[in-house]
Amino acid sequence: MSPLNIKNQGIAPEDLLCPTLYHGYYVRPRAKKQPERGYSEINQNDHKFQVFLDVCHFLPDELSIRTIDNLLEVTGQHPQKIDGHGFISRSFNRTYILPLDVDALLVKAKLSHDGVLSIKAPRKGIEMKREVNKVKIEVQSSSVDKEKSSAEGIMETHEKTSDH
């Protein structure tokens, strides 16, 4: 195929590049328009909870994953780097709510060669009921209301004593 035929087929020369090594990891070639960048996908069934997250702009040591109660927090941050347009720094923070039957201590993560982070945790398969606790709202009166009510109380007391 000549370059003219490649363009007519909707394939850019950049799409034909082989992955390159960067710090020991394969980096997939970049296309100009990539609307799926930064995608996040959650898959869950009775046996597992799994998240897929595109983190291709970050190295493994620039990523952090932690659980807090039933929250799964993924953070990525890298220092300022130079690219073809100047300097750039990136960071993100994404938080997922884990199902109630997931043990946060059993969460495992893997990073693929093309920058997709897979986070998986087994589920117990036991349906956990959420506890609903209604909290009564106590209404506090303002200082004007307190003065008004204390004045009314004095007036009522004065009226009762004057009747006798």
Side-chain angles (χ1 to χ4, degrees):
M1 257 186 194
S2 70
L4 184 59
N5 288 342
I6 291 174
K7 288 182 182 178
N8 289 340
Q9 298 297 320
I11 300 173
E14 298 87 17
D15 294 335
L16 300 176
L17 295 176
C18 294
T20 58
L21 278 176
Y22 180 70
H23 292 280
Y25 294 91
Y26 285 105
V27 178
R28 61 182 165 205
R30 307 281 181 239
K32 290 183 179 152
K33 288 187 178 181
Q34 295 178 336
E36 72 276 354
R37 271 294 155 247
Y39 81 92
S40 172
E41 181 183 325
I42 298 174
N43 292 331
Q44 57 183 329
N45 58 32
D46 292 341
H47 307 290
K48 73 175 180 179
F49 172 85
Q50 189 168 20
V51 171
F52 296 100
L53 181 62
D54 182 3
V55 293
C56 67
H57 294 292
F58 298 90
L59 295 173
D61 60 340
E62 296 171 339
L63 296 169
S64 168
I65 302 169
R66 66 182 188 162
T67 57
I68 306 165
D69 296 328
N70 72 324
L71 298 178
L72 171 67
E73 183 181 84
V74 183
T75 305
Q77 181 174 4
H78 69 67
Q80 196 172 56
K81 296 178 181 181
I82 192 165
D83 68 1
H85 305 282
F87 294 93
I88 187 165
S89 64
R90 290 184 181 91
S91 66
F92 77 92
N93 187 9
R94 186 175 289 273
T95 303
Y96 300 93
I97 299 172
L98 293 170
L100 294 174
D101 65 341
V102 168
D103 185 349
L105 297 175
L106 299 178
V107 172
K108 304 281 185 213
K110 290 182 182 179
L111 183 61
S112 70
H113 70 280
D114 61 348
V116 176
L117 183 64
S118 169
I119 304 169
K120 190 188 307 187
R123 294 183 68 174
K124 296 174 186 171
I126 302 167
E127 189 173 326
M128 307 278 292
K129 301 273 185 188
R130 292 189 184 268
E131 286 189 29
V132 178
N133 181 26
K134 288 194 174 192
V135 177
K136 184 180 176 196
I137 301 171
E138 182 180 322
V139 179
Q140 295 179 336
S141 57
S142 68
S143 59
V144 174
D145 290 340
K146 286 180 184 175
E147 290 173 10
K148 192 176 182 181
S149 66
S150 65
E152 288 172 356
I154 293 171
M155 292 295 285
E156 287 176 11
T157 307
H158 179 65
E159 288 173 3
K160 288 181 183 176
T161 56
S162 63
D163 287 342
H164 292 296

